[in-house]
Amino acid sequence: MKRRIMDFLSALGRSLMMPIAALAACGIVLGLTAALLKPQVIEVLPFLSNGGVSYIITMLNKVSGVVFTLIPVLFAMSIAFGMAKEDKEIAAFAGFIGYYTFLVSSSVMISSGIMDFSAMKISAILGVETVDMGAVAGILIGVVVAALHNRFHKIIFPVAIAFYGGKRFVSIIVILVAALLGQVMPIVWEPVSMGINALGTAIGEAGAFGVFIFGFLERLLIPTGLHHVLNGVFRTTAVGGIYEGVEGCLNIFLQFFDKVPIETMRPFTQFLGQGKMPFMMFGLPAAALAIYKTSPKEKKARVKALLLAGVAACVISGITEPVEFAFMFIAPPLFLFHAVMGGISFMLMSVLGVIVGNTGGGVIDFFIWGVLQPGSNWYWIVIVGLFYMPIYYFTFKWYLTKKSLSIDVEEEEVVEGEYLEGEEKALGDPIGLMVIEGLGGYENIKTVNNCISRLRVDVVDMSKVDEKLLRKTGSAGIIKPSETHIQVVYGPKVEKVANAVKSAMAVR
């Protein structure tokens, strides 16, 4: 049961990353265009007031902003897609059908007069007046659709009705189940929403300590991948706050940014990217330097190459795993220290009144949502970061020296195109083939997916996995949350690795 729960949460967290990544990208466009439309910026750059330039910037601002109103349906489709084991495109299609059916069915229940729903929030969602459950509705439908898809997408009916079997039946059963859920959820949603609101209120009333706990858990859950779930809850539900009927700190920030005074956003940005910036932009690079300095002379060149790539990913795009996995397993106390510093970072940014949003936490978000936004108090990030650098550096250097620890970097480097020769090269990308071999071969692989930084694979027999071979493919770390699921950390290049593996699997 524990393994199944962990597998489910891991798959859910992975699936949530697709729309969250898209929202983060749109957020960058929204923040940049909003900054360029500010009078202070236009005074410095007069050409921005030109009719054509102003029109393009305004258009991009409006288009990027409307995406945030589609979060529930994006969640329904992405979760159905991500958690489906096969025929994922069919599941994504069914995710949209299921979500829209749910909206219409809920609307019918509300207008039936059976109960008084006036105390609940009623909104126009995709043109349907219904109970506004926010992202929760999308998550619920996505999970249900994925389960139905995995159960029925290969069902076979008698010849007379065979046409309605298999993939076609998925949409049919989804419509029926979503319609039933739409009848039930308006009745049960009020007490559920009250519970969620109470949790959000409790966290808000906890003040700085509540923010510390969030930041601490956000880092501590990195090895399991469940930090995506924690972030998703705060970013898209009432746990992260409510403002004018909009739920979730990320939803609120991106929908009301530049529409209200920036100080209004302060209670919500405390759970967003600002809390990560001191340790992402300053702390972890200093830790990487300490790791390099304490490495044996014969390893320094390889360690330097690994850490430079990891630091670049961390500082620029906010992907921290390549650096974190360099020390996570060889020095667990350092990772616990890092998690505590993460919590302190979130807490300090909140206490000092920093108002820098979005989700990345890297230098791009820092400039767009901080430096370019008057009143964001971005300078505290730099001040705190300058204190974080020596704290991280000397703590890491002291511990690694005291314990005589150094990270292990494989001497062999994988040279793309040289792993297989002749006819075998036609079977797929060499890196993909090597990863497949490291995972125990084709027969040992059940499903292959990826998130922002990890290859996530369900395997038949974990004992067949060759960790040493996987590390030779450029992996920064390996996690085994259960006996049948493995996560191989590649950082920003994971998309390329995943595509190579999937291509090799497809042409087998």
Side-chain angles (χ1 to χ4, degrees):
M1 178 60 68
K2 180 181 178 181
R3 178 182 63 80
R4 292 178 64 182
I5 292 174
M6 289 295 293
D7 287 347
F8 169 79
L9 292 175
S10 179
L12 178 62
R14 178 192 69 232
S15 301
L16 288 172
M17 286 311 298
M18 189 185 305
I20 291 296
L23 294 175
C26 289
I28 291 174
V29 177
L30 179 64
L32 181 59
T33 53
L36 294 178
L37 290 172
K38 288 184 179 295
Q40 303 95 315
V41 177
I42 294 176
E43 286 182 13
V44 178
L45 304 172
F47 75 92
L48 295 175
S49 61
N50 177 274
V53 174
S54 178
Y55 174 80
I56 292 173
I57 295 174
T58 302
M59 180 269 292
L60 290 174
N61 181 268
K62 297 297 183 183
V63 169
S64 59
V66 76
V67 175
F68 303 102
T69 65
L70 303 175
I71 288 177
V73 68
L74 293 178
F75 275 9
M77 296 174 67
S78 66
I79 291 173
F81 178 90
M83 300 185 74
K85 295 178 180 178
E86 298 177 4
D87 297 319
K88 290 177 175 288
E89 66 280 2
I90 303 298
F93 174 70
F96 177 81
I97 292 178
Y99 181 71
Y100 203 83
T101 300
F102 176 82
L103 294 180
V104 175
S105 178
S106 298
S107 178
V108 172
M109 169 56 73
I110 292 168
S111 60
S112 66
I114 295 176
M115 291 179 60
D116 182 10
F117 295 101
S118 60
M120 304 177 68
K121 181 186 177 184
I122 309 298
S123 302
I125 305 173
L126 297 181
V128 180
E129 290 284 340
T130 186
V131 174
D132 190 347
M133 293 173 56
V136 175
I139 294 172
L140 172 66
I141 294 299
V143 170
V144 170
V145 169
L148 292 172
H149 173 84
N150 291 333
R151 173 68 177 83
F152 294 110
H153 79 288
K154 289 186 177 180
I155 193 171
I156 299 175
F157 290 146
V159 176
I161 56 173
F163 176 80
Y164 297 102
K167 301 174 184 178
R168 296 181 182 89
F169 184 69
V170 173
S171 295
I172 297 173
I173 191 66
V174 163
I175 289 173
L176 295 175
V177 173
L180 178 61
L181 285 173
Q183 294 294 295
V184 173
M185 287 308 297
I187 299 173
V188 304
W189 178 243
E190 186 168 7
V192 173
S193 63
M194 288 176 62
I196 295 175
N197 292 342
L199 177 59
T201 301
I203 293 173
E205 292 178 348
F209 180 71
V211 179
F212 168 81
I213 293 299
F214 169 81
F216 173 69
L217 292 176
E218 201 271 342
R219 285 297 98 186
L220 195 65
L221 291 173
I222 285 284
T224 66
L226 298 183
H227 61 297
H228 295 319
V229 178
L230 177 70
N231 281 323
V233 169
F234 274 80
R235 292 170 182 173
T236 61
T237 74
V239 174
I242 305 174
Y243 182 75
E244 293 191 3
V246 178
E247 299 178 349
C249 57
L250 180 62
N251 294 344
I252 294 167
F253 177 76
L254 293 173
Q255 288 192 40
F256 291 98
F257 174 77
D258 217 37
K259 296 181 178 64
V260 297
I262 192 169
E263 183 64 27
T264 306
M265 296 289 99
R266 181 177 171 182
F268 312 111
T269 60
Q270 63 184 351
F271 299 117
L272 294 175
Q274 66 183 41
K276 303 177 184 179
M277 291 176 183
F279 65 79
M280 279 186 176
M281 295 165 53
F282 299 91
L284 285 176
L289 178 60
I291 293 172
Y292 169 73
K293 290 288 188 179
T294 56
S295 296
K297 185 176 181 180
E298 65 273 13
K299 286 185 177 182
K300 280 188 180 293
R302 299 193 302 276
V303 170
K304 180 180 178 180
L306 172 66
L307 292 177
L308 279 176
V311 168
C314 179
V315 173
I316 296 173
S317 59
I319 297 176
T320 58
E321 281 94 336
V323 176
E324 289 169 329
F325 277 87
F327 64 86
M328 183 184 298
F329 297 114
I330 66 165
L334 285 180
F335 185 72
L336 180 61
F337 160 81
H338 172 55
V340 171
M341 293 297 287
I344 294 173
S345 177
F346 272 87
M347 181 180 69
L348 287 176
M349 294 301 98
S350 175
V351 170
L352 294 171
V354 177
I355 311 172
V356 181
N358 213 26
T359 62
V363 70
I364 296 176
D365 280 355
F366 171 69
F367 275 100
I368 292 178
W369 298 104
V371 177
L372 295 178
Q373 309 302 332
S376 66
N377 298 328
W378 58 269
Y379 51 85
W380 281 114
I381 294 173
V382 178
I383 294 172
V384 173
L386 291 176
F387 280 96
Y388 262 51
M389 290 183 77
I391 293 174
Y392 265 79
Y393 177 79
F394 288 111
T395 300
F396 272 69
K397 187 175 181 180
W398 168 79
Y399 186 85
L400 294 173
T401 302
K402 180 181 178 181
K403 299 294 184 179
S404 299
L405 296 174
S406 64
I407 66 174
D408 189 21
V409 183
E410 295 288 344
E411 292 188 26
E412 299 90 346
E413 295 291 336
V414 177
V415 180
E416 192 165 334
E418 293 185 6
Y419 178 63
L420 294 175
E421 297 296 338
E423 296 180 359
E424 288 181 304
K425 290 184 67 175
L427 295 176
D429 188 292
I431 299 299
L433 294 170
M434 192 172 186
V435 172
I436 290 172
E437 183 178 342
L439 292 169
Y442 292 96
E443 293 75 15
N444 199 44
I445 299 174
K446 292 195 290 186
T447 59
V448 178
N449 291 290
N450 69 280
C451 61
I452 289 180
S453 60
R454 309 179 191 189
L455 190 70
R456 297 172 178 246
V457 186
D458 291 322
V459 297
V460 177
D461 184 354
M462 191 65 74
S463 65
K464 294 182 179 180
V465 173
D466 187 342
E467 294 188 24
K468 186 174 181 180
L469 183 57
L470 287 175
R471 289 192 178 93
K472 291 181 181 179
T473 65
S475 165
I478 296 171
I479 309 167
K480 298 176 181 178
S482 72
E483 296 177 356
T484 59
H485 182 73
I486 183 171
Q487 299 174 10
V488 189
V489 181
Y490 286 102
K493 63 182 178 182
V494 68
E495 195 78 32
K496 179 180 179 181
V497 175
N499 289 336
V501 172
K502 291 175 183 178
S503 297
M505 296 283 289
V507 300
R508 175 174 178 259

